[in-house]
Amino acid sequence: MKPITRREFTTLMGVGAASMLASPALLGQTKPRVVIIGGGAGGATVARYLAKDSGGLIDVTLIENSKQYTTCFFSNLYVGDVRDFASITHSYDALAGMDGLTVVNDLATGIDRDARTVSLAGGTSVPYDRLVVSPGIDIIYDSVPGYSEAAAEIAPHAWQGGPQTELLKQKLDALNNGDNIVMVAPPNPYRCPPGPYERVSMMAHMLKTRGFSESTISIIDTKPKFSKQGLFTEGWEQNYPGVIEWLPPEIHGGIIAVDVNAGTVETDLDTFEGALLNIIPAQKAGSIATDAGLANETGFCPIVAESMRSTIDENIFVIGDASIAGAMPKSGFSANSQAKVAALNIRGDLTDSRVFPAKYANTCWSLIAPDNGVKVGAQYAAGEDGSIVSTSSFISETGESAEMRAATYQESVGWYDSITTDMFG
Amino acid sequence: MHGFIFARFTVALLSLAVYASTFASSHQPGTSAKNDAAASDSTLDTDEIERVLALSDDLAYGEYLAGECASCHSDHITEGSNVPVIQGLPATLVVRALLAYRSGLRTNTTMGNVASSLGDEEVAVLAHYLASLAPQQ
């Protein structure tokens, strides 16, 4: 099928049809319906696996507001001039061409859990038998004093792929030698735990290649330690000596205010000035999930570890960054892995398909410098305590050979191509 | 290098020549264990491989487990990647590789971690499922 626009979709539904949608039989439809909110790493994977594996027995609708998807993973390589923007941007054409899958280009605005419908900005509503909620994160702008959605147009967070990524890159490209960069790094839990530190590595690489020997990068962190810390610290000393300064809360004493117009981050210790501020605030589940009552007091959504089913609504699965996935980090790889478990269980619910024990995996690769990749990864399963637990794990070591680091980077190149194919076809 | 292990397959299946070369280069370099690993690898008992393969040929289970493989192994060669194409590999080769990773005879940490999560039955169904796919170019 071709992707259909909101207008076409509305026309297809017809005047008054929305009120009948809750009863598929009235429309002569007997196939169970799965609706997926969000076409990112989790939602696209679920859509593709359901269409691919359900043998035409399920009608799948993927609702996504954007016409194309820029991955947050590997976006730091774009920041560092290692990849171009097109290489991290993917269309929905292949998914829309799959039998049994309809891609609706519209914004999902609400979930009616009693009626089992999703309302769209275009005014229609879509009924479901099972719903997958995969909205990713929302940025909590005011978690950083002085920061706001408007301020993000001056000091980008670039923690959601797309325009923010491009804005950060433009501002980075506009720097001169001697201009400094200040990053505010987010508190846990957040999307892509090593991401801020890979980004700093790629920024430092960019400064180095342009010969900006007078520029520095300061990281004002909101937490006392971070992912792959030993590996990044070693890599910064070896590749960018004297360029990167990391300040945990015990050193800076707390962020008092960010002024994006003045280009300052004021802390208890000092006021840091940057020609470029990259402010990455705290995060929570996408608002459509919280508005539907699917989140708990943490701002994220509890799920059943065996299936990714919401603990709050048995007809709904929450996957990816919006979910509370126990030991799994919030990452595109995790979302892709969780999506396959969700798809399996949805097929089990709606068809006679077999359901196997949940098995999850994640690996986070990070690039410290070109051909200098590191990784951390684990296998996961449903634990006895009801959460997803790690069953085994690994991490790159300090002092590895250049050949090993190059091989790790080459692995990540293959992974990126494979996992985006696995998501978007 | 591992190349010699694959010699008999690459003669018969041209597409697998690509696999053998990428696989060899994907092995973690810079360790003296590389040649040792290849030698040890080839000493994996053929009877043991056959025993594992005979445990189960549940293709539906294999298909589910292979979803994890697809996150890193696509069905085509990617420029700049050292991740081999595994779709369409002979079942014996998949078992040999996974057992070697699981026991540490091969030392890639990602694959070692994956293999450690698989019992013999899971190794068998994965091997049968991957072998059921058409070899890719």
Side-chain angles (χ1 to χ4, degrees):
Chain A
M1 280 185 232
K2 293 281 185 195
I4 59 176
T5 63
R6 176 170 59 77
R7 180 171 309 199
E8 287 163 349
F9 185 72
T10 308
T11 306
L12 280 174
M13 291 296 103
V15 175
S19 62
M20 300 162 63
L21 288 177
S23 305
L26 289 177
L27 293 175
Q29 296 201 16
T30 55
K31 286 184 190 176
R33 297 158 179 258
V34 177
V35 173
I36 301 155
I37 298 174
T45 304
V46 139
R48 183 166 168 272
Y49 271 70
L50 284 173
K52 177 170 77 70
D53 297 337
S54 68
L57 296 177
I58 298 176
D59 274 342
V60 184
T61 301
L62 174 64
I63 301 168
E64 167 55 49
N65 192 39
S66 300
K67 298 242 178 191
Q68 55 188 15
Y69 185 78
T70 300
T71 60
C72 221
F73 48 98
F74 259 33
S75 66
N76 288 329
L77 278 61
Y78 164 65
V79 168
D81 286 332
V82 178
R83 291 180 83 102
D84 62 24
F85 193 75
S87 78
I88 58 168
T89 301
H90 306 269
S91 92
Y92 292 101
D93 291 351
L95 290 181
M98 293 182 79
D99 287 341
L101 173 57
T102 304
V103 178
V104 177
N105 183 221
D106 201 347
L107 179 67
T109 52
I111 301 166
D112 184 332
R113 284 166 44 197
D114 293 326
R116 284 195 280 164
T117 58
V118 176
S119 56
L120 304 181
T124 56
S125 71
V126 190
Y128 64 82
D129 296 298
R130 291 294 180 275
L131 176 67
V132 180
V133 178
S134 187
I137 52 156
D138 268 8
I139 304 288
I140 308 175
Y141 290 96
D142 61 8
S143 68
V144 178
Y147 197 56
S148 64
E149 189 165 4
E153 296 304 312
I154 297 167
H157 55 77
W159 220 242
Q160 290 163 319
Q164 277 280 306
T165 318
E166 290 186 287
L167 182 63
L168 178 69
K169 177 68 170 148
Q170 286 164 14
K171 293 196 171 268
L172 196 60
D173 284 344
L175 295 180
N176 296 305
N177 192 12
D179 287 344
N180 296 328
I181 300 170
V182 180
M183 168 187 277
V184 171
N188 293 315
Y190 63 97
R191 162 180 287 180
C192 191
Y197 314 98
E198 180 191 59
R199 174 173 290 172
V200 164
S201 304
M202 289 292 95
M203 286 172 163
H205 163 66
M206 177 269 184
L207 296 176
K208 185 178 178 178
T209 54
R210 294 183 193 188
F212 291 179
S213 56
E214 304 301 313
S215 295
T216 62
I217 306 173
S218 299
I219 308 167
I220 313 299
D221 216 324
T222 53
K223 54 192 175 298
K225 58 181 183 177
F226 62 88
S227 174
K228 300 180 189 169
Q229 187 162 352
L231 294 165
F232 280 113
T233 303
E234 177 197 60
W236 294 342
E237 287 169 0
Q238 289 177 352
N239 293 279
Y240 319 110
V243 174
I244 299 166
E245 155 186 65
W246 177 71
L247 299 149
E250 63 176 306
I251 301 294
H252 65 69
I255 297 168
I256 297 169
V258 167
D259 185 334
V260 299
N261 292 309
T264 57
V265 176
E266 182 187 357
T267 71
D268 275 350
L269 174 72
D270 202 354
T271 295
F272 296 83
E273 292 187 16
L276 170 58
L277 304 186
N278 180 198
I279 310 298
I280 311 171
Q283 295 150 35
K284 60 181 179 179
S287 60
I288 193 157
T290 48
D291 290 350
L294 297 170
N296 65 17
E297 69 283 357
T298 67
F300 293 96
C301 303
I303 51 85
V304 178
E306 286 84 0
S307 61
M308 299 305 297
R309 193 187 304 272
S310 167
T311 60
I312 292 166
D313 188 326
E314 64 181 4
N315 296 314
I316 297 178
F317 293 73
V318 184
I319 60 174
D321 294 348
S323 68
I324 299 172
M328 296 186 82
K330 299 186 185 302
S331 73
F333 198 136
S334 290
N336 168 262
S337 178
Q338 293 157 8
K340 293 169 196 176
V341 171
L344 182 80
N345 281 274
I346 290 167
R347 287 197 295 125
D349 279 6
L350 301 178
T351 70
D352 291 333
S353 175
R354 290 161 66 195
V355 176
F356 302 103
K359 189 172 182 305
Y360 304 98
N362 176 69
T363 300
C364 292
W365 284 271
S366 301
L367 196 58
I368 292 174
D371 295 318
N372 185 349
V374 292
K375 57 183 173 177
V376 59
Q379 294 282 319
Y380 305 89
E384 290 179 1
D385 67 351
S387 72
I388 297 176
V389 298
S390 171
T391 53
S392 64
S393 65
F394 65 91
I395 185 167
S396 295
E397 297 174 359
T398 54
E400 287 175 338
S401 68
E403 291 81 3
M404 172 81 84
R405 292 296 177 84
T408 299
Y409 171 61
Q410 289 160 20
E411 225 176 69
S412 73
V413 170
W415 160 77
Y416 184 84
D417 182 64
S418 297
I419 203 163
T420 52
T421 302
D422 201 39
M423 293 166 182
F424 302 103
Chain B
M1 303 298 281
H2 290 295
F4 77 91
I5 301 172
F6 305 105
R8 65 194 138 187
F9 300 114
T10 55
V11 169
L13 292 164
L14 275 179
S15 63
L16 291 182
V18 179
Y19 168 83
S21 60
T22 49
F23 186 87
S25 65
S26 76
H27 193 279
Q28 290 189 355
T31 65
S32 60
K34 192 157 62 174
N35 291 328
D36 295 342
S40 306
D41 211 51
S42 65
T43 64
L44 276 174
D45 195 320
T46 306
D47 290 345
E48 172 66 0
I49 291 169
E50 292 301 328
R51 181 191 70 78
V52 169
L53 272 177
L55 289 175
S56 174
D57 61 355
D58 185 343
L59 292 181
Y61 189 25
E63 182 176 18
Y64 166 63
L65 292 177
E68 184 177 328
C69 308
S71 298
C72 297
H73 296 267
S74 72
D75 62 3
H76 58 273
I77 299 292
T78 301
E79 185 182 349
S81 161
N82 58 9
V83 182
V85 174
I86 57 173
Q87 289 82 352
L89 283 181
T92 51
L93 190 54
V94 175
V95 174
R96 181 183 292 279
L98 287 174
L99 294 185
Y101 283 124
R102 197 173 65 185
S103 69
L105 293 178
R106 294 188 194 179
T107 53
N108 180 290
T109 51
T110 311
M111 281 310 302
N113 195 52
V114 169
S116 75
S117 73
L118 302 170
D120 284 351
E121 183 189 344
E122 282 74 33
V123 170
V125 298
L126 264 176
H128 285 298
Y129 175 72
L130 291 171
S132 76
L133 303 174
Q136 304 293 321
Q137 294 303 312

